[in-house]
Amino acid sequence: MWTKEELDRYARHIVLPGVGGAGQARLKESRVLVVGAGGLGAPVLLYLAAAGVGRLGIVEMDRVDLTNLQRQVLFDTPSIGEPKAEVAKARLQGLNPHVRVEVYPTKLSAANALEILEPYHLVIDCSDNFPTRYLVNDACVLLDKPLVYGAIHQFEGQLSVFHHQGGPCYRCLFPSPPPPGAVPSCAEAGVFGVLPGVIGSLMAAEAIKVLIGLGTPLSGRLLLYEALEPRFRVLRLARRADCPVCGENPSVTTLQDYELLCGVSV
């Protein structure tokens, strides 16, 4: 049942062809886990809460830092030093009190990933490090859940939808983690402040499409954005028969932590 307040809140969705009352009801029934509440996670969480996703989970163990505020629009100056997950929860419930927000202020690991991801219909990877990306991908494949992926670097971003309706997974694109030091962090390389807003908004759009069954999700495709041109490109991806996790003879059948392989600690 819808309240009048909900009907008014979602009116622009309900009159939209392809969404309607049925699509909005699917959003209300959906459970989405967002890994990371930083630059990418901020627009993803704000738009999914505004759209009326019924339950949002947030995996985030960091506290708000002054350097975050150039791009992480969930937070403000008074929230510096506060746990990001709790600040995000308060902001999202203030935006839409009909959304249930669950927080996991912990490090995602091989020991807890399956338990945390299992209750959710869809997972969105907004992390900023390779160990988490591989862990989340492998967990989604093992649990048979679709994964919306995004990443940013300086002035460039990319996103895709992995393991959706037989499509490729993250390891079909990047079979193994990069060597230590191969890719600098945002702290080392910098990031264009509005870039997470562009990529994060597109990630939220892909998530809503998957949840509603709307349009054509980016499964089997990788969208690349270059802010300085500006230019969008779409590359085709195929599921690899030799993929170590979703291929015909997978070698990855249980989760493992990848900090040592990537040479970082998260």
Side-chain angles (χ1 to χ4, degrees):
M1 290 291 294
W2 298 97
T3 65
K4 182 181 184 305
E5 195 275 341
E6 286 177 294
L7 291 174
D8 290 342
R9 179 182 290 271
Y10 306 128
R12 300 301 185 272
H13 257 179
I14 292 172
V15 300
L16 190 64
V19 180
Q24 191 62 46
R26 283 194 287 273
L27 288 178
K28 185 176 182 178
E29 296 165 358
S30 295
R31 302 187 299 272
V32 176
L33 182 72
V34 178
V35 180
L40 292 173
V44 166
L45 288 164
L46 286 167
Y47 275 112
L48 293 186
V53 170
R55 178 178 172 186
L56 284 172
I58 306 172
V59 180
E60 178 59 74
M61 63 180 294
D62 288 346
R63 292 179 177 267
V64 181
D65 185 83
L66 178 60
T67 61
N68 301 150
L69 303 187
Q70 166 250 13
R71 65 201 177 281
Q72 298 183 17
V73 294
L74 263 175
F75 313 118
D76 57 17
T77 301
S79 63
I80 292 174
E82 298 297 318
K84 284 185 179 180
E86 294 297 338
V87 175
K89 178 178 180 178
R91 175 78 184 280
L92 298 175
Q93 292 187 322
L95 175 63
N96 188 348
H98 301 285
V99 175
R100 176 183 172 187
V101 181
E102 303 280 350
V103 298
Y104 304 89
T106 185
K107 173 185 174 181
L108 200 67
S109 69
N112 63 21
L114 295 178
E115 180 181 0
I116 291 175
L117 270 63
E118 197 280 329
Y120 294 90
H121 298 126
L122 172 73
V123 179
I124 306 181
D125 182 7
C126 298
S127 65
D128 61 357
N129 62 84
F130 287 101
T132 302
R133 289 172 188 161
Y134 281 90
L135 179 65
V136 170
N137 175 79
D138 294 354
C140 283
V141 174
L142 294 178
L143 292 169
D144 195 23
K145 296 182 185 295
L147 169 65
V148 176
Y149 154 81
I152 54 175
H153 175 70
Q154 294 186 329
F155 297 96
E156 301 176 354
Q158 59 183 239
L159 67 145
S160 187
V161 176
F162 291 125
H163 195 63
H164 176 57
Q165 296 181 345
C169 77
Y170 181 73
R171 282 184 181 266
C172 293
L173 179 63
F174 302 113
S176 59
V183 181
S185 68
C186 287
E188 297 168 326
V191 60
F192 192 38
V194 300
L195 181 63
V198 176
I199 301 300
S201 297
L202 291 169
M203 293 170 70
E206 291 302 309
I208 291 171
K209 287 161 59 179
V210 171
L211 294 170
I212 292 180
L214 182 68
T216 305
L218 273 171
S219 177
R221 294 177 293 166
L222 180 72
L223 187 150
L224 304 175
Y225 172 63
E226 301 173 38
L228 295 184
E229 293 295 335
R231 177 171 63 173
F232 284 96
R233 292 183 294 156
V234 177
L235 306 179
R236 292 285 179 179
L237 302 176
R239 185 174 177 181
R240 295 174 52 139
D242 62 346
C243 175
V245 67
C246 76
E248 295 177 359
N249 297 291
S251 59
V252 178
T253 57
T254 59
L255 295 183
Q256 58 179 302
D257 292 314
Y258 296 99
E259 288 92 336
L260 294 178
L261 292 175
C262 296
V264 299
S265 178
V266 297

